[in-house]
Amino acid sequence: MTSSDYQYFIITENTEYYPVKPGRLFYILKSKYNEQPQKRGSHSKLKVISLHGQYLDYDVDQRCMSTLSAEEAGFLLAVSDDTERLKWFRQKDALKTAQGLTMGTRVIVEEEGKELWGIIRYIGMLTESYVRPPTGTFFGIELQGEDRRKGYSDGSHNSRTFFSCERKCGVFAPFSRVRPVVPSSLTPSTPEQTLELQTEELIPGDRVTYFINNQLRHGMVVNVHEEHGQPFVQISTDRDENGKTGGEVKVLLEQVSKGEVPADPESMDIDKPPVEPGTDDLHMDLSVNSLVEVTLAAGNSCGIIRWIGTVTDGGPVMAGLELDEDCGVSDGTFKNQRFFYCPPKRGLFVKLRSLRPDSRFQSLSTNHSEKMPNQEDAESDTEHNTGRLETVPPISTEQVNQILVGRMKGIQGHCNSCYMDAALFSLFSCSSVLDSMLFKSTAPQEAPIQKTLLHNIVNPLRSKGFVKGHHVMKLRQQLQRHGYSHSFTTEEKDPEEFLTVIMHHILALDPLLKLSAGGKVQESYCYQIFLDQNHSLVLPTVQQLLEHSFHGAGLKLAEVPSCLILQMPRFGKKFKMFDKIIPSLELDITDLLSEGPQQCIVCGNLAEKECSDCFKDSVFNQTGFKVFCEKCSSQVHSHPQRRSHHPAALEIPIGYLGRSNPHALTRDKLELFAVLCIETSHYVSFIKYGPKSEDWIFFDSMADRQGGIDGFNIPEVHTCPEVGMYLEMSPAELATQMRAAMKP
């Protein structure tokens, strides 16, 4: 049965039963209700069932209750307090307003005493039951603008997903705490709220159409205020009556309509800018994902085309833009209809013909001091006429200065891409350790991502030393379309999140790391170093951090990894675990392996015992696990301070049993090839590109910028041999170095 099979009631007066209190809801089968019309007199009783608690039935005087529709019962049941529920039932207009709300409606929701702005993404129940509606009808709301991150949900409730949004951007609320931003004639309000509700319809940044001197014009809301009891809108105009851009006008609220009314006939398109010679056909080459710029009242704005089409029958061809800056008016919706997704105030709908290609990625005019390298040759050189992609090897030690060092070198940053730029540069510029992910067979739907990575990023980086920002943006757009995150193109991420998505979810690369714990093997693509609170490290090396982390977690390596990606201990905003960490040029992982022979740290013979208690003993070296042969273990633990230790037997490979000379054992070591760093939310990288201690380069995808909002970022790679100098210092000498005095 469904909710339409029941008749619902709300108790409005006190009754003889304590559980049947005013504000409580009850129901009865409509078939039973219709069978006894003669009994429905002013003094008759009905046997109704409670929608609260154990669903008990009661004989209730009909004079004490009022009938409800299924929809009304659903909204009222979501209000938890009986008194509040009855109060809202008596506000008939509020119920009617709630019934008129639809998905995509912009609303204001009250949450913990604060009014937050959002958009309705879900309307319905939060639990299932045979009786409808069992727990009430709730509104699922995605918070917008400055109110993002003020919620508590990602669109899920009790492990069920009702809509999708970012973490802490969603809330669920009953109708009593929700009202539309654009008030309807039924929205309840006091006389004092009338002006407030009118002005809430428009907020600064909204695109509007306004009427002045019997002409239709467009602009952007700057402010909404009251003068002499009347609401006015201050508007930044696109073009005034003399054809000039810029300027502001003040218009009565009643003469302003939200939106640009894009379906105007050509005869009313008075805001159409004059067409420059030679540019009338520029828009013909534009398509979805094209990088473009548009002239607004505040100047040129740049963005990406997310959608092209018409919003009304017979209307002009429109483009939906996601802008680089928060100077738009939408999140991808137009008149409550969604055409694409983007962050709030990043979306803008304009006529396609008003757009032009983004000049930041075109051949720049002669007045620019920086030139964008021509990358087309770099791309065509790496692809045969058949379309098969060639392999371009990593840049060799001898080629680094010629190909890679300089301004406008490396990967060009664009729109919070530094995390991805630094990660890709570190992995592929001078190393081939992960080249297998570029050529492994993959599913057809993932092939375009692999091709973009190889053809548009890795090959140009290695052959010409430069990758344009829009190629990385293309990769980010492809990842976003696969549904792993709807903010890949706009927000900064952690490099490990990006690497896990592309290695695991997209290319299905075999895990790089296999960890052994308690006889079970766990697989991963990177390892986060965690330390217990009892460590004594002050100026640690990466070798020490990894050993302490493995020791504390009881981990071993099941096999030697081809590439080991380590994440240093997390630093909070107010607390740093270590002031400095010394990168280890080599990681000796011999003692970290779960299988294989080990050498006694005292005499060098075959180790047979390992002591966890000795690991933190200050008498021993701070590096390396403490393993001993039988003889040395007995001598070490004969000391009174170590008699309470509990050394454990090591598992010795069969081939090494009885061997007396293990000195020729090969140590398993990994070489450092890159370090990613972050400061003030910006990622950069250091690359070890050669065998000499001074063979280091530094990369920053946004080292400088040419121009303002319509400019572009300038990536830079420069040599930094001083890194080798610092790494050759002793820990004591390095500890005395003041950061501000260290060479950049």
Side-chain angles (χ1 to χ4, degrees):
M1 294 186 179
T2 64
S3 58
S4 60
D5 296 312
Y6 299 94
Q7 177 61 56
Y8 298 91
F9 305 89
I10 183 171
I11 304 301
T12 56
E13 306 288 344
N14 290 319
T15 69
E16 57 187 296
Y17 304 107
Y18 175 76
V20 187
K21 297 187 294 185
R24 292 279 175 110
L25 300 182
F26 292 79
Y27 74 96
I28 186 176
L29 276 171
K30 276 189 177 180
S31 57
K32 291 185 177 181
Y33 184 62
N34 294 330
E35 286 176 358
Q36 40 186 344
Q38 69 283 359
K39 297 182 180 180
R40 298 206 302 269
S42 58
H43 299 284
S44 62
K45 292 185 177 182
L46 282 177
K47 185 179 290 294
V48 292
I49 304 171
S50 173
L51 275 172
H52 311 272
Q54 299 299 319
Y55 301 104
L56 300 176
D57 58 352
Y58 299 90
D59 289 320
V60 180
D61 192 328
Q62 292 191 70
R63 293 175 297 176
C64 299
M65 55 187 181
S66 297
T67 59
L68 299 171
S69 67
E71 192 175 19
E72 290 173 332
F75 286 124
L76 289 168
L77 195 54
V79 181
S80 58
D81 182 76
D82 295 337
T83 304
E84 282 291 304
R85 190 182 301 117
L86 183 59
K87 182 190 78 172
W88 284 100
F89 161 72
R90 287 172 173 160
Q91 293 192 28
K92 298 295 185 181
D93 289 346
L95 267 175
K96 290 181 180 179
T97 297
Q99 290 174 277
L101 296 178
T102 59
M103 304 271 281
T105 300
R106 296 174 63 188
V107 294
I108 298 172
V109 57
E110 182 183 337
E111 188 67 31
E112 296 183 351
K114 298 180 180 179
E115 291 190 339
L116 309 178
W117 293 67
I119 296 176
I120 296 176
R121 300 298 190 202
Y122 172 78
I123 304 175
M125 297 175 294
L126 301 183
T127 60
E128 294 290 340
S129 176
Y130 292 107
V131 179
R132 308 285 184 168
T135 58
T137 300
F138 287 82
F139 291 93
I141 298 167
E142 180 181 3
L143 301 179
Q144 304 289 311
E146 296 180 355
D147 294 330
R148 285 162 49 82
R149 305 291 184 187
K150 294 182 181 180
Y152 53 80
S153 171
D154 61 356
S156 60
H157 177 79
N158 287 342
S159 301
R160 288 187 60 198
T161 300
F162 296 94
F163 65 96
S164 295
C165 68
E166 292 186 29
R167 184 170 168 266
K168 291 188 177 181
C169 287
V171 297
F172 292 92
F175 83 102
S176 57
R177 293 196 281 117
V178 178
R179 73 175 190 270
V181 171
V182 181
S184 73
S185 59
L186 299 175
T187 304
S189 61
T190 62
E192 294 79 9
Q193 293 175 315
T194 302
L195 176 61
E196 176 187 355
L197 289 172
Q198 283 180 321
T199 57
E200 280 177 346
E201 182 177 353
L202 295 176
I203 59 175
D206 280 348
R207 294 289 298 173
V208 291
T209 300
Y210 63 98
F211 300 89
I212 188 169
N213 298 329
N214 295 320
Q215 290 185 316
L216 177 149
R217 300 194 180 279
H218 299 122
M220 185 179 297
V221 175
V222 177
N223 188 29
V224 182
H225 62 281
E226 179 184 352
E227 289 186 13
H228 309 296
Q230 288 187 303
F232 283 87
V233 183
Q234 196 79 14
I235 300 172
S236 174
T237 62
D238 289 356
R239 191 173 296 274
D240 63 19
E241 61 273 12
N242 298 318
K244 297 181 180 180
T245 59
E248 293 185 358
V249 296
K250 183 172 64 176
V251 184
L252 278 169
L253 177 61
E254 63 187 25
Q255 295 175 307
V256 181
S257 176
K258 193 170 185 178
E260 285 206 51
V261 195
D264 285 342
E266 293 297 316
S267 60
M268 296 186 66
D269 190 15
I270 60 174
D271 285 338
K272 178 181 176 182
V275 178
E276 298 178 10
T279 63
D280 53 339
D281 292 328
L282 277 178
H283 70 278
M284 298 300 293
D285 294 327
L286 300 179
S287 61
V288 173
N289 294 328
S290 290
L291 297 173
V292 295
E293 59 186 47
V294 60
T295 300
L296 301 176
N300 289 341
S301 292
C302 299
I304 304 170
I305 297 179
R306 296 299 192 193
W307 170 86
I308 294 177
T310 57
V311 294
T312 58
D313 292 338
V317 177
M318 304 288 293
L321 301 185
E322 179 179 348
L323 299 174
D324 292 351
E325 308 290 339
D326 292 344
C327 54
V329 298
S330 168
D331 63 350
T333 58
F334 183 84
K335 293 186 177 180
N336 293 331
Q337 182 178 355
R338 179 165 297 283
F339 292 90
F340 63 93
Y341 286 92
C342 72
K345 293 192 179 298
R346 289 286 183 93
L348 184 67
F349 289 85
V350 297
K351 293 172 182 174
L352 182 63
R353 66 166 177 264
S354 66
L355 300 176
R356 55 191 178 276
D358 193 332
S359 60
R360 296 175 299 177
F361 303 108
Q362 307 299 310
S363 297
L364 300 180
S365 59
T366 56
N367 63 337
H368 282 176
S369 60
E370 300 285 345
K371 300 294 183 181
M372 293 283 284
N374 186 348
Q375 196 176 357
E376 302 308 318
D377 294 337
E379 294 166 4
S380 60
D381 288 345
T382 63
E383 188 171 15
H384 286 301
N385 292 332
T386 59
R388 184 176 62 85
L389 297 177
E390 287 186 344
T391 303
V392 178
I395 300 173
S396 65
T397 304
E398 297 74 23
Q399 294 176 312
V400 164
N401 280 285
Q402 176 186 354
I403 296 178
L404 204 53
V405 173
R407 284 170 65 87
M408 287 310 262
K409 291 292 186 178
I411 302 174
Q412 185 181 37
H414 177 61
C415 193
N416 295 325
S417 67
C418 62
Y419 72 96
M420 191 176 292
D421 306 329
L424 292 172
F425 187 89
S426 299
L427 291 176
F428 296 111
S429 61
C430 302
S431 172
S432 61
V433 67
L434 285 180
D435 276 17
S436 59
M437 65 190 288
L438 303 174
F439 302 102
K440 74 178 297 292
S441 59
T442 187
Q445 63 270 25
E446 318 294 1
I449 293 180
Q450 187 182 44
K451 183 176 180 181
T452 297
L453 184 61
L454 175 62
H455 176 52
N456 298 121
I457 298 176
V458 175
N459 280 349
L461 176 63
R462 292 174 173 178
S463 61
K464 298 297 182 182
F466 177 73
V467 179
K468 291 183 180 180
H470 72 268
H471 289 310
V472 176
M473 177 58 75
K474 178 182 177 181
L475 178 64
R476 297 165 74 185
Q477 292 166 350
Q478 290 173 322
L479 294 175
Q480 180 168 292
R481 284 197 295 269
H482 274 63
Y484 296 109
S485 173
H486 64 271
S487 58
F488 250 122
T489 59
T490 55
E491 296 184 2
E492 187 174 284
K493 306 284 183 185
D494 288 331
E496 60 268 23
E497 178 183 353
F498 156 63
L499 293 175
T500 299
V501 166
I502 200 164
M503 288 193 293
H504 175 51
H505 297 288
I506 301 293
L507 301 178
L509 195 70
D510 291 335
L512 304 176
L513 190 60
K514 294 185 178 181
L515 301 172
S516 175
K520 296 182 179 180
V521 175
Q522 306 171 5
E523 297 181 335
S524 179
Y525 292 89
C526 55
Y527 180 71
Q528 170 70 62
I529 292 178
F530 293 99
L531 298 180
D532 59 40
Q533 297 179 349
N534 299 320
H535 70 82
S536 58
L537 301 175
V538 178
L539 183 61
T541 65
V542 173
Q543 178 84 44
Q544 293 171 332
L545 291 175
L546 183 61
E547 290 174 348
H548 276 71
S549 184
F550 267 49
H551 177 267
L555 296 174
K556 291 284 187 178
L557 290 171
E559 60 183 42
V560 178
S562 60
C563 177
L564 181 58
I565 302 175
L566 296 177
Q567 300 165 248
M568 294 299 100
R570 295 288 189 177
F571 289 171
K573 293 182 178 179
K574 298 181 180 179
F575 169 76
K576 286 189 175 182
M577 189 175 293
F578 302 105
D579 187 51
K580 297 184 182 76
I581 293 176
I582 304 175
S584 300
L585 292 174
E586 284 187 339
L587 275 183
D588 189 335
I589 61 170
T590 309
D591 296 342
L592 301 180
L593 293 169
S594 61
E595 298 180 358
Q598 299 183 52
Q599 289 178 291
C600 174
I601 64 170
V602 179
C603 67
N605 286 329
L606 186 68
E608 300 172 82
K609 296 289 184 70
E610 179 180 352
C611 182
S612 296
D613 299 308
C614 288
F615 180 78
K616 297 182 179 180
D617 196 319
S618 59
V619 172
F620 299 103
N621 192 314
Q622 285 193 319
T623 300
F625 280 56
K626 306 308 176 273
V627 293
F628 310 95
C629 65
E630 191 69 50
K631 180 180 178 180
C632 291
S633 179
S634 298
Q635 292 176 344
V636 167
H637 292 98
S638 64
H639 192 284
Q641 292 183 354
R642 288 184 286 276
R643 288 175 182 172
S644 60
H645 291 191
H646 299 87
L650 290 171
E651 186 175 341
I652 302 174
I654 296 177
Y656 287 87
L657 290 173
R659 288 181 59 173
S660 58
N661 184 20
H663 295 279
L665 292 178
T666 301
R667 307 292 295 182
D668 289 298
K669 297 181 180 181
L670 301 176
E671 292 183 351
L672 176 67
F673 70 91
V675 178
L676 264 71
C677 304
I678 182 173
E679 185 175 19
T680 59
S681 299
H682 182 60
Y683 284 93
V684 295
S685 59
F686 294 85
I687 310 299
K688 184 75 165 65
Y689 68 89
K692 299 179 181 179
S693 62
E694 65 268 21
D695 290 342
W696 284 90
I697 54 176
F698 171 78
F699 166 64
D700 185 350
S701 66
M702 303 178 183
D704 200 356
R705 187 167 179 85
Q706 177 75 44
I709 190 173
D710 58 344
F712 56 89
N713 290 314
I714 300 173
E716 183 174 1
V717 179
H718 64 78
T719 58
C720 48
E722 61 274 9
V723 173
M725 178 188 70
Y726 290 124
L727 294 182
E728 288 179 343
M729 291 181 179
S730 66
E733 187 179 5
L734 188 58
T736 62
Q737 296 291 316
M738 299 299 294
R739 181 176 178 182
M742 295 177 77
K743 293 181 180 180

